[in-house]
Amino acid sequence: MDTQALALALPLIGWASHTALLTHRLATARRDPLTGLRTRAGWTVLAERVVRRHRDAVVLLLDLDDFKNLNDSHGHAAGDFALVVTAERLTAWCGRHGIAGRLGGDEFVAIARQAPDLESLHRALNQPVAYAGRRLPVSVSVGSCRLTDLPVRSLSDALATADSAMYAAKGTSGRRGPRTLNR
């Protein structure tokens, strides 16, 4: 290859390499590194599509109960393991008809295209986790919102309603003060 052709090819090779690197970073930014679930940004894009296409969809917001106590009592590795198991259980429950995500910390989110069996989700999530020869207690509070119950279908309204329902399930007023449960 002559020097002139090489001089023309090098910027193209550099651009292609840089594009591949950015594409890889974007793809990994949409996945939580611990659980493999979609992050808030990655989940929201897909959930908005489900909201537009499936009027019977249900939005869920989930939070592990007493997670700080689990971490303090059994260590952060045990807490991480409980998060991974919770993500696996939520993903299995969603199957092909839903999308699970991790908002951060011990908060998860899901959207199901049709009215799901929430009782089976509660049973699956509230099972102890076997870790290092011990059975760790895991309890998850779940709030849900059916899109058909909203005056206007929107993901943000569904998440707000599911958040209120989740805190009602926890038996607290929530982190942002008292709330009214809309059903």
Side-chain angles (χ1 to χ4, degrees):
M1 182 179 279
D2 65 35
T3 29
Q4 188 176 17
L6 184 60
L8 290 173
L10 279 178
L12 292 175
I13 293 169
W15 179 80
S17 298
H18 184 68
T19 300
L21 177 66
L22 290 177
T23 301
H24 174 71
R25 284 188 179 169
L26 181 60
T28 56
R30 292 192 177 165
R31 292 281 180 179
D32 175 57
L34 178 63
T35 64
L37 292 179
R38 296 185 185 282
T39 60
R40 180 186 307 263
W43 181 84
T44 300
V45 168
L46 296 174
E48 288 283 2
R49 188 177 309 146
V50 172
V51 168
R52 284 192 306 272
R53 294 180 182 173
H54 301 276
R55 55 180 299 116
D56 294 333
V58 177
V59 174
L60 307 168
L61 201 59
L62 306 91
D63 186 73
L64 273 71
D65 301 324
D66 298 320
F67 184 67
K68 182 179 178 347
N69 187 39
L70 177 73
N71 269 338
D72 291 347
S73 301
H74 302 283
H76 290 283
D80 285 352
F81 188 74
L83 292 172
V84 169
V85 170
T86 299
E88 290 170 351
R89 291 172 177 174
L90 181 58
T91 300
W93 179 82
C94 284
R96 295 185 0 232
H97 303 290
I99 304 162
R102 181 176 177 210
L103 298 180
D106 63 337
E107 291 185 329
F108 295 86
V109 67
I111 188 165
R113 292 181 185 102
Q114 48 198 279
D117 176 14
L118 292 178
E119 197 56 42
S120 68
L121 176 63
H122 285 281
R123 281 191 306 274
L125 292 175
N126 290 299
Q127 296 294 316
V129 172
Y131 177 77
R134 292 179 278 172
R135 292 174 58 85
L136 305 177
V138 174
S139 174
V140 180
S141 294
V142 179
S144 66
C145 175
R146 295 177 190 276
L147 293 177
T148 55
D149 293 341
L150 296 173
V152 176
R153 287 187 310 162
S154 80
L155 183 59
S156 60
D157 288 349
L159 285 168
T161 301
D163 188 46
S164 294
M166 181 189 66
Y167 278 102
K170 280 186 176 291
T172 67
S173 62
R175 61 179 171 243
R176 292 180 217 114
R179 297 172 180 238
T180 305
L181 180 60
N182 299 325
R183 288 206 177 223

